[in-house]
Amino acid sequence: MARTVMFFLVVGLFAAAWTEVDSMGNGNMKKAGRLLDDLDANRRLQCRRNRCNDHGRCVFPKARAGVIRCACEGRYSGNNCEIDDSVCGNILHFSPDRTDVNTGASVPAGWIMCYIDENDVAQHSTPCRNLLAGLPIYGSYTGLLDAGGNFGCWHGQSGSQSGPAYAGNQIIRYACTNAMQQTSVLAVGNWGPPATTTLGVCIKLPHLQVEA
């Protein structure tokens, strides 16, 4: 009889302990759920504050809590869809790749990377500054400079893909410098044949500058 009473007493204590643990677990799960709901609400609030500049939509990677990214639409790019890909004008090509695959150098914030290469035969002897034609807002290089912007130009050997990010000679590093070789042409004799050359043009846009 005593053994039977002891058995039921142990079982009762175990059941009570399990109920308490289960209750704590549910409480923690509810708390975690509330935190995730708050985090999701905060991210959505940031999106409502025009995070993507009306040119894209917010994306929340599930694997990275708290991270917000913009999926840009049409001709727009940049972390917040702030860059109009037609910003290079009607001669230069826009380069969405902002990091040199050979050196790791990146286009500075507030600058955009443009270029011509061996395929732009009609522009091989055009001074770099004259390639800045049809720029939105500024028109030409003179309008850009008058507004407080700047630009630089630099050559490199074309790479496996089009654009300064894949070319040699550290185009991104040197082109993104104020007043760098602004009258240079692609068909420069001391660099190499135009058939394998990329001329990078890095442009600092006043309307993209962030005040300190």
Side-chain angles (χ1 to χ4, degrees):
M1 181 67 177
R3 290 182 178 179
T4 301
V5 173
M6 182 62 70
F7 171 77
F8 283 107
L9 180 60
V10 171
V11 170
L13 291 172
F14 178 79
W18 176 258
T19 300
E20 183 176 354
V21 170
D22 186 55
S23 177
M24 292 174 61
N26 288 335
N28 289 335
M29 289 180 63
K30 290 179 180 179
K31 183 177 181 180
R34 287 194 297 270
L35 289 174
L36 289 175
D37 289 342
D38 291 344
L39 177 62
D40 186 62
N42 181 60
R43 292 194 298 180
R44 294 185 184 283
L45 177 61
Q46 290 189 49
C47 283
R48 286 197 295 271
R49 289 175 177 169
N50 203 21
R51 177 66 177 257
C52 301
N53 292 292
D54 293 327
H55 303 309
R57 57 185 177 82
C58 286
V59 177
F60 310 131
K62 293 182 179 180
R64 301 185 64 185
V67 174
I68 302 174
R69 298 193 184 284
C70 289
C72 302
E73 300 170 349
R75 66 179 189 270
Y76 293 92
S77 64
N79 292 335
N80 303 109
C81 304
E82 75 279 14
I83 298 176
D84 184 341
D85 291 357
S86 67
V87 75
C88 290
N90 52 29
I91 295 179
L92 292 165
H93 309 292
F94 174 75
S95 175
D97 301 310
R98 297 174 62 84
T99 301
D100 191 316
V101 299
N102 300 304
T103 68
S106 296
V107 177
W111 295 64
I112 58 165
M113 195 73 230
C114 311
Y115 70 98
I116 60 169
D117 59 21
E118 58 268 18
N119 297 310
D120 301 292
V121 178
Q123 307 299 337
H124 283 186
S125 297
T126 302
C128 183
R129 65 186 183 186
N130 293 340
L131 296 173
L132 281 71
L135 298 178
I137 302 177
Y138 310 108
S140 66
Y141 78 92
T142 55
L144 175 71
L145 296 176
D146 289 344
N150 218 304
F151 67 98
C153 313
W154 197 259
H155 295 82
Q157 184 173 11
S158 299
S160 58
Q161 298 183 48
S162 298
Y166 303 95
N169 204 33
Q170 304 186 68
I171 290 180
I172 290 179
R173 175 184 176 185
Y174 292 110
C176 297
T177 303
N178 288 335
M180 176 65 75
Q181 297 188 358
Q182 293 181 340
T183 59
S184 179
V185 299
L186 183 142
V188 59
N190 62 353
W191 169 248
T196 59
T197 299
T198 293
L199 175 61
V201 185
C202 196
I203 305 173
K204 181 166 66 175
L205 299 172
H207 72 279
L208 293 184
Q209 301 304 305
V210 177
E211 294 184 3

